[in-house]
Amino acid sequence: MVNVAIVGAGFMGKTHLAAYQAMKNAKVTAVCDLGEAAGRALAEAAGCPWYADGEAMLAGAPVDVVDICLPTFLHEQYVLLAARNKKHVICEKPVTLSMESLDRMLAAVFEAGVQFAVGQAVRFWPEYVKAKELYDAGELGTVKYARASRLSVHPQWSEWYRRPENSGGGLFDLHLHDVDYLCFLFGKVKQVYAVGQKNDVGCWNHVASSLTFENGVQATAEGIIEMPKGFPFTMELNVVGDAKAVSYRMRAGANLEDVASAVRETWLYGGDAPELLDIDPYDAYQRELEDFIGHIEAGTPITSITPQDIRHVLSVILAIRTSLESGRTVEL
C-alpha cells in the first residue's frame, strides 16, 4: 500500500482523491491546505488528518508520495520540500513557469533518489491513447498533418489563476496539454511559430502554434481559454496520414467539471466506410495515478512521462511565448 499526501484541496485535489479511493494499492493519509475549511473537508472525505503546514504533515503522517495540486506558483516550494524529505512526487501541470525553476526541481529529486512525474493527463485520455496506438502501429501510414485544439471559457476557480506570474495564463495551463500530447506522439520539436492575443493583464489566452518536429511531421495546436460565456469545453484531435485519418471531438459542459455528460466521438477514416470507434471513456486522471502508483509500488522508473519529456515540453512552451512576443519563428 502506497501512502499519499494530497497538497491542495481544490478541484484537482478532489479529483485526485476520488481516483485514489477507487484504487486498491493507494491510501490518502494526509491532506495539506492553508485554507482550513477546504482542507478539513477534503481530509474528512479521505478519512485522514488535515494539516496547514507541509513540514508538519511530513513529520506527523506516514507518507510515501506527495501529490501536489496547488496553484502553479507554489509547485517548486513543495517539490523541493518533498525531495528534502525523500518522498516521491507527482505534481499537477503546468509544473512551473521557467526552465530555471524546473531545473532546480529536477536536480532536487535526482539528488534525493525519488520518482517525479507531472500530471500531463492527456497522455492518458482514452481517445488520445487510441490515436497513439493507431499511429505507433502504422495504421495511419505516413502522417501528413495533425491538429489539436482545446477551447474553454475562463475558469472561475480563483483570482490567482488570472495573474500571468502565478498561472502562466492559457499558454501554460491549457495550450500545454496539446503541445505535450503532440510531443508524446511525434517526439522532439525542431521549430515553432505562433500567433495569438494577450489579455489586459498579460496572459496569452488565445494561441495558435505551428510545430515542426525533428521527424518532419508538421502540426498545429490551438488553445483559447477566454471563449464567451456558455461555450462548452471543447477539445479536438485530427491526425491525418496517407492511409487513414483519426478524428476525435469532445464537447462538455462548463469547463471540465461536466465531463460525465460530454459528447465524445472518435472516427477512423480511410477504410471501406467511416468507422466510429468504440472507446471506453475511463477516467484519465485515475489511469494516470494508477500508472504512477504502480511504478512506486514496484520500485520501477516512471516511463509514461520522463524528466526529459517534462523539460522538452516546457522548452517548447517557452519557445512559443518567444514567438508570440517576437513575431518570429523560433528554433529549439
Side-chain angles (χ1 to χ4, degrees), residues 26-177:
K27 180 181 180 182
V28 175
T29 54
V31 167
C32 182
D33 196 289
L34 283 175
E36 182 172 357
R40 284 193 183 278
L42 192 67
E44 182 177 347
C48 70
W50 159 73
Y51 297 86
D53 176 76
E55 294 275 10
M57 175 190 73
L58 292 176
V63 175
D64 303 307
V65 166
V66 175
D67 182 338
I68 300 170
C69 297
L70 292 167
T72 306
F73 66 98
L74 297 173
H75 286 176
E76 181 182 354
Q77 173 186 344
Y78 282 87
V79 169
L80 298 183
L81 173 64
R84 284 198 303 273
N85 286 272
K86 307 292 186 183
K87 309 301 181 185
H88 303 291
V89 184
I90 184 163
C91 180
E92 262 305 315
K93 62 85 215 163
V95 59
T96 189
L97 305 180
S98 75
M99 195 61 74
E100 294 79 9
S101 173
L102 177 58
D103 284 343
R104 287 191 292 269
M105 293 188 227
L106 293 178
V109 296
F110 179 79
E111 183 179 345
V114 296
Q115 299 266 33
F116 179 60
V118 174
Q120 292 170 195
V122 172
R123 293 179 180 229
F124 293 90
W125 206 269
E127 292 87 352
Y128 290 77
V129 169
K130 182 62 176 179
K132 182 167 171 57
E133 289 173 355
L134 292 167
Y135 172 71
D136 287 347
E139 291 193 36
L140 306 180
T142 300
V143 169
K144 300 297 185 181
Y145 176 69
R147 181 179 72 87
S149 177
R150 199 161 299 262
L151 310 175
S152 173
V153 300
H154 203 290
Q156 303 299 314
W157 299 323
S158 174
E159 279 305 306
W160 73 265
Y161 198 89
R162 296 184 177 277
R163 296 193 288 272
E165 67 274 18
N166 286 353
S167 72
L171 170 61
F172 283 82
D173 201 89
L174 184 80
H175 198 52
L176 178 141
H177 274 306

